[in-house]
Amino acid sequence: MSSRLTARGLTLAYEDRTVVDALDLAIPDGRVTVIVGPNACGKSTTLRALGRLLKPAGGAVLLDGEELAKLPTKRIARSIGLLPQTPVAPEAITVADLVSRGRQPHQAWWKQWSEEDERAVVDAMARTDVTALADRSVDELSGGQRQRVWIAMALAQETDLLLLDEPTTYLDISHQVEVLDLVRRLNRLRGRTIVLVLHDLNQAARYADHLIAMKAGRVVAEGPPEQIVTADLVRDVFGLESVVVPDPVTGSPLVVPGTPWHADERGEDAAAAVV
C-alpha cells in the first residue's frame, strides 16, 4: 500500500497535556480514509498535524518522505488541502470570491489571474453544484450549501490530498449524505486521497475505504470497515454494547446500539403480566 502522507512516532500536545502519543500512521493513496473515535481521543488533533496546523511535540509528519515541518508553505499548500471543522468566511464575501481563494497557493506577486485559475474555479464549483450560487453571499446560504462551497474552495486548490475535519457537523441528515456522497465522487472520479474525521461510526463505515479507530491518542484498529468494525471494537473504543449487522443498502457494517433499558422495560412488562 503506497502512502505519500505518513506519521512516524507522532506526539501531539497542548501545553503540558499530551493528546496523541507516539502515533504511527500511513494514509493510503487514492482512498477515502475516515478517522473515528470518542470525543477528545485526538482524531481532530491528528488531522491538524497532518495539515501542518499543529507542530508535533515529538516525531514527525512526512510528505513524500520529507518532514512536513521543513517544507515550504506553498509546496504544502499545493499538495495538501485542509478544511477545518468550523471555517469562517469573510463578511459579505460571495461564493465565487471564496472559491477563488483556493487558488492562492498558485499565485505570485508577478502572476495575474490565469485561464488555468479560472478553469479550476469553474470546475470546482460545477463539481460541488454551487455554480448557480456564484453571486450569492456565503452568509445567506444554508448549512449544506456552505459546506459545498468550502469544499469547492478546497477543490480549486487542486491538491492530491484533501483533509476534512467533521464536514457534516451541524448539518441535517440529508445534507450530511449530500456532502459525503460528494466526497466519495471526488475520490472515485478524480482519484483524490481524502481523509475525514467523522463522529458517526455508521457513516464512517459506509463511506470509508480505510477506517482508523482511535482511543486516548492511539490507534486501536485500522483497515477496511468490514474487517475491523465489530461489537468488540465498538465496546472497546466507545464503551457501547451493540450488534453489528450488514447495512441493507451497502452491505457495509451497521452498528445497532444495545439498549439495556429496553430489555428492562420488557422484563418489567413481563413481570407485570405474570402478576
Side-chain angles (χ1 to χ4, degrees):
M1 181 180 66
S2 61
S3 177
R4 295 184 60 201
L5 187 63
T6 60
R8 294 290 178 265
L10 185 65
T11 297
L12 304 170
Y14 295 108
E15 296 181 349
D16 60 348
R17 182 173 66 91
T18 298
V19 179
V20 172
D21 186 24
L23 182 71
D24 289 331
L25 203 60
I27 303 300
D29 292 338
R31 312 294 291 279
V32 176
T33 294
V34 182
I35 305 174
V36 298
N39 291 339
C41 73
K43 53 187 184 294
S44 289
T45 300
T46 299
L47 197 76
R48 284 168 54 83
L50 292 176
R52 208 177 77 168
L53 289 185
L54 184 63
K55 182 180 179 180
V61 175
L62 306 177
L63 176 64
D64 296 326
E66 298 183 72
E67 194 170 337
L68 201 64
K70 297 179 180 178
L71 295 178
T73 299
K74 277 210 168 182
R75 177 177 167 187
I76 295 172
R78 290 172 181 169
S79 299
I80 302 174
L82 173 62
L83 183 59
Q85 187 176 15
T86 52
V88 178
E91 187 175 354
I93 192 171
T94 66
V95 167
D97 286 343
L98 183 60
V99 176
S100 296
R101 295 194 175 200
R103 299 301 298 167
Q104 287 182 350
H106 303 275
Q107 304 299 304
W109 66 268
W110 66 87
K111 182 183 178 184
Q112 300 299 314
W113 187 261
S114 67
E115 291 183 4
E116 181 65 16
D117 294 326
E118 187 67 23
R119 180 209 57 77
V121 169
V122 169
D123 182 65
M125 292 178 67
R127 288 189 174 277
T128 53
D129 196 24
V130 297
T131 302
L133 305 174
D135 297 326
R136 294 269 303 275
S137 170
V138 175
D139 297 335
E140 300 173 358
L141 304 181
S142 69
Q145 289 171 327
R146 280 198 301 272
Q147 284 296 78
R148 293 206 312 271
V149 171
W150 282 110
I151 292 174
M153 188 190 76
L155 290 183
Q157 195 173 332
E158 292 196 319
T159 60
D160 293 328
L161 292 145
L162 185 59
L163 314 181
L164 306 174
D165 190 1
E166 299 187 21
T168 58
T169 299
Y170 308 126
L171 301 183
D172 60 42
I173 185 63
S174 64
H175 286 128
Q176 290 177 26
V177 171
E178 179 182 318
V179 167
L180 292 172
D181 282 346
L182 168 62
V183 168
R184 173 58 68 87
R185 288 198 303 274
L186 295 172
N187 167 259
R188 295 300 189 255
L189 297 177
R190 289 295 184 93
R192 299 279 176 89
T193 299
I194 300 176
V195 186
L196 302 94
V197 168
L198 292 177
H199 268 302
D200 190 310
L201 182 56
N202 285 330
Q203 287 183 344
R206 171 175 281 202
Y207 288 95
D209 299 309
H210 187 76
L211 189 67
I212 297 172
M214 293 186 65
K215 178 183 178 182
R218 296 180 179 274
V219 172
V220 175
E222 63 176 311
E226 62 273 15
Q227 294 182 13
I228 70 166
V229 178
T230 64
D232 288 341
L233 179 78
V234 176
R235 184 185 306 111
D236 182 25
V237 173
F238 295 96
L240 177 70
E241 296 296 333
S242 67
V243 176
V244 178
V245 298
D247 185 308
V249 176
T250 65
S252 59
L254 179 67
V255 177
V256 181
T259 50
W261 62 272
H262 280 168
D264 291 343
E265 277 190 348
R266 287 195 297 271
E268 289 174 3
D269 291 343
V274 171
V275 173

